[in-house]
């Protein structure tokens, strides 16, 4: 696999990674049903994706990564999720964590990747645990939920807050090794069942040095310690835009998988009640057109927005607030379109589509489960855009 050298993103190498990932899609699809039954993406799938270079796409060149244009990452993820929603989901978030670690102080990056650049990180950002600021760092304990892919990772990003004497809130992401936490297997859901999004538990307070933390204020201002050692343009992008898109793209892949499954089944399906082949049903034709257009529109908007953000970063320009708000608007509506297009297919697929052996119902359950992620709350994201359009103040950590 080609790698970037000396802070220069390797776009040609990234394109090769995307092709290598696409080559894995058929076998990932064959494993999807078994992964769901096991409640875990197979180790061999994660290893093969790692060998293909997927997790290096957004990793700094200093650690053998490609520091590539994020469009490569999203293109690869969408292809994976077409075959298996759960594999696409955990691959997306694990991959973007390599991007986030590049924003941390250099010592934190060395702590994780110094001995093994292939080390992976999971996350749980909601500040549900207890954090206390102490000399040189923080004491942490408690429980964090929904850590997708945690069984495939050796470190975790955990969210937390501390409070100053004046009441000021310091919200941060903290980096902790698996040696100090345990995974409590409790992910039992309708969809995305193989993501293994279990709880992470720190039973007794553990010390986290300050260099293993990153303030949301720094990430929002695009002024992070990691910028001093990772100069590639991709690290000048906002967390709010990059991460939220990371949870929408696999759902678009799921919607594409549902669409193709519906097309394949409909070509052979016969509706006894009407004595008609469904392939000749004009109402099915309309649903196909609407579903295809919805997914295409969502993907085209994401491509445009990512390209514009990256262009500003390459030129060293400040990202306009209008663009950051548009990224969130189109991301959350992209998720909405993924859900609605999948619903269009399932509503017209007949009772057999709800059998456990039928892949269409798995796509349907996966896309609805992914919709529940906090980044996919449409009212919150759309309100931000509306306020910005009207010239009102906008303050949010997810832009």
């Amino acid at each position: 696999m080609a790698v970037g050298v000396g802070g220069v993103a390797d776009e040609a190498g990234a394109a090769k990674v995307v092709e290598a990932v696409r080559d894995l899609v058929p076998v990932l699809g064959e494993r999807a049903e078994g992964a769901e039954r096991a409640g875990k993406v197979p180790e061999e799938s994660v290893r093969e994706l790692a060998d293909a270079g997927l997790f290096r796409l957004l990793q700094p060149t200093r650690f053998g990564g490609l520091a590539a244009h994020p469009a490569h990452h999203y293109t690869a993820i969408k292809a994976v999720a077409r075959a298996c929603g759960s594999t696409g989901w955990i691959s997306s978030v694990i991959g973007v964590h390599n991007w986030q670690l590049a924003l941390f102080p250099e010592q934190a990056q060395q702590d994780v990747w110094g001995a093994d650049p292939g080390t992976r990180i999971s996350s749980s950002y909601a500040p549900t645990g207890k954090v206390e600021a102490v000399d040189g760092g923080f004491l942490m304990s408690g429980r964090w939920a929904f850590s997708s892919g945690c069984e495939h990772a050796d470190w975790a990003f955990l969210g937390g807050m501390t409070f100053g004497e004046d009441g000021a809130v310091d919200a941060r992401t903290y980096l902790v090794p698996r040696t100090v936490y345990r995974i409590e297997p409790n992910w039992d859901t309708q969809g995305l069942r193989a993501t293994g999004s279990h709880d992470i538990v720190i039973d007794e307070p553990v010390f986290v040095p300050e260099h293993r933390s990153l303030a949301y204020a720094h990430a929002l201002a695009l002024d992070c310690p990691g910028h001093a050692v990772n100069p590639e343009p991709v690290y000048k992008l906002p967390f709010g835009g990059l991460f939220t898109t990371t949870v929408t793209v696999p759902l678009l892949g799921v919607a594409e998988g549902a669409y193709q499954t519906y097309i394949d089944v409909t070509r052979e399906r016969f509706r006894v009640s009407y004595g008609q082949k469904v392939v000749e049903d004009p109402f099915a034709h309309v649903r196909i057109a609407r579903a295809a257009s919805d997914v295409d529109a969502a993907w085209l908007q994401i491509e445009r927005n990512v390209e514009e953000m990256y262009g500003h970063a390459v030129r060293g320009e400040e990202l306009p607030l209008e663009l950051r708000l548009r990224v969130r608007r189109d991301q959350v509506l992209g998720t909405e379109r993924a859900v609605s297009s999948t619903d269009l297919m399932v509503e017209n697929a007949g009772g057999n589509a709800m059998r456990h052996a039928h892949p269409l119902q798995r796509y349907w359950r996966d896309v609805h489960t992914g919709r529940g992620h906090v980044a996919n709350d449409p009212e919150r994201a759309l309100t931000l855009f509306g306020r910005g359009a009207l010239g009102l103040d906008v303050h949010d950590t997810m832009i």
Side-chain angles (χ1 to χ4, degrees):
M1 181 189 71
V3 298
V5 178
V8 178
D10 183 358
E11 301 299 340
K16 292 179 181 178
V17 168
V18 174
E19 289 307 309
V21 169
R22 283 178 171 147
D23 289 342
L24 293 172
V25 166
V27 71
L28 297 177
E30 292 171 2
R31 295 170 183 163
E33 185 178 352
E36 178 170 80
R37 287 198 305 269
K40 181 181 178 181
V41 172
E43 295 284 354
E44 58 188 333
S45 294
V46 177
R47 184 178 63 253
E48 289 164 357
L49 289 168
D51 290 344
L54 178 58
F55 304 125
R56 300 297 179 90
L57 285 171
L58 300 180
Q59 188 174 22
T61 59
R62 295 167 54 248
F63 294 99
L66 300 169
H69 192 312
H72 295 293
H73 174 73
Y74 294 135
T75 299
I77 292 302
K78 187 157 69 77
V80 172
R82 278 177 61 113
C84 175
S86 289
T87 304
W89 184 274
I90 70 164
S91 298
S92 195
V93 297
I94 288 175
V96 86
H97 291 157
N98 285 355
W99 172 86
Q100 187 182 4
L101 182 57
L103 308 181
F104 275 64
E106 181 178 15
Q107 185 56 57
Q109 299 173 51
Q110 290 289 346
D111 291 349
V112 176
W113 291 325
D116 180 7
T119 301
R120 294 183 289 271
I121 308 167
S122 68
S123 69
S124 178
Y125 294 106
T128 55
K130 181 180 179 181
V131 183
E132 178 186 357
V134 296
D135 187 30
F138 308 87
L139 289 178
M140 298 187 68
S141 61
R143 178 184 295 270
W144 289 261
F146 309 128
S147 189
S148 299
C150 58
E151 294 167 302
H152 302 285
D154 291 316
W155 290 74
F157 286 135
L158 302 178
M161 296 185 295
T162 58
F163 303 88
E165 294 182 0
D166 60 354
V169 178
D170 183 10
R172 294 181 177 238
T173 298
Y174 301 89
L175 174 66
V176 298
R178 191 163 176 174
T179 53
V180 304
Y181 64 81
R182 62 183 174 87
I183 296 171
E184 185 168 310
N186 60 356
W187 180 248
D188 184 14
T189 56
Q190 288 298 315
L192 296 176
R193 291 182 59 82
T195 61
S197 302
H198 306 301
D199 283 10
I200 286 179
V201 182
I202 301 177
D203 292 304
E204 299 294 334
V206 298
F207 177 73
V208 180
E210 187 167 3
H211 73 264
R212 291 185 190 163
S213 72
L214 181 68
Y216 276 102
H218 289 169
L220 186 63
L222 303 183
D223 182 20
C224 299
H227 291 152
V229 291
N230 297 315
E232 298 92 347
V234 68
Y235 304 115
K236 305 301 192 298
L237 302 180
F239 174 86
L242 205 69
F243 184 82
T244 55
T245 301
T246 292
V247 301
T248 290
V249 167
L251 300 182
L252 289 176
V254 168
E256 286 188 358
Y259 174 83
Q260 190 58 54
T261 299
Y262 175 83
I263 293 292
D264 294 342
V265 170
T266 298
R267 287 194 178 105
E268 307 299 328
R269 187 168 159 238
F270 188 84
R271 186 177 282 129
V272 176
S273 301
Y274 299 101
Q276 177 192 50
K277 290 183 178 180
V278 181
V279 72
E280 298 171 349
D281 180 2
F283 302 112
H285 302 163
V286 171
R287 286 177 180 265
I288 288 169
R290 289 186 180 278
S293 182
D294 275 350
V295 176
D296 280 353
W299 180 243
L300 288 169
Q301 285 183 311
I302 285 175
E303 282 190 310
R304 176 195 63 172
N305 292 340
V306 170
E307 187 64 41
E308 287 192 25
M309 282 199 301
Y310 193 74
H312 281 285
V314 168
R315 295 186 297 271
E317 300 169 350
E318 182 178 353
L319 268 72
L321 177 61
E322 293 83 358
L323 175 57
R324 294 171 75 155
L325 293 173
R326 192 218 302 162
V327 168
R328 278 290 275 134
R329 179 200 71 186
D330 295 343
Q331 167 266 318
V332 78
L333 289 178
T335 293
E336 192 172 274
R337 289 185 174 114
V339 172
S340 63
S341 65
T342 304
D343 284 348
L344 279 171
M345 300 294 93
V346 172
E347 289 167 3
N348 191 248
N352 282 326
M354 287 293 106
R355 297 184 186 276
H356 284 297
H358 201 296
L360 190 57
Q361 54 80 31
R362 185 179 69 247
Y363 287 121
W364 181 71
R365 288 185 288 106
D366 285 351
V367 78
H368 277 273
T369 300
R371 160 64 182 83
H373 192 283
V374 65
N376 291 325
D377 181 347
E379 287 78 17
R380 182 172 297 278
L382 297 180
T383 295
L384 295 174
F385 184 87
R387 287 183 62 86
L390 293 171
L392 301 176
D393 288 339
V394 179
H395 300 284
D396 195 273
T397 58
M398 300 298 282
I399 58 173

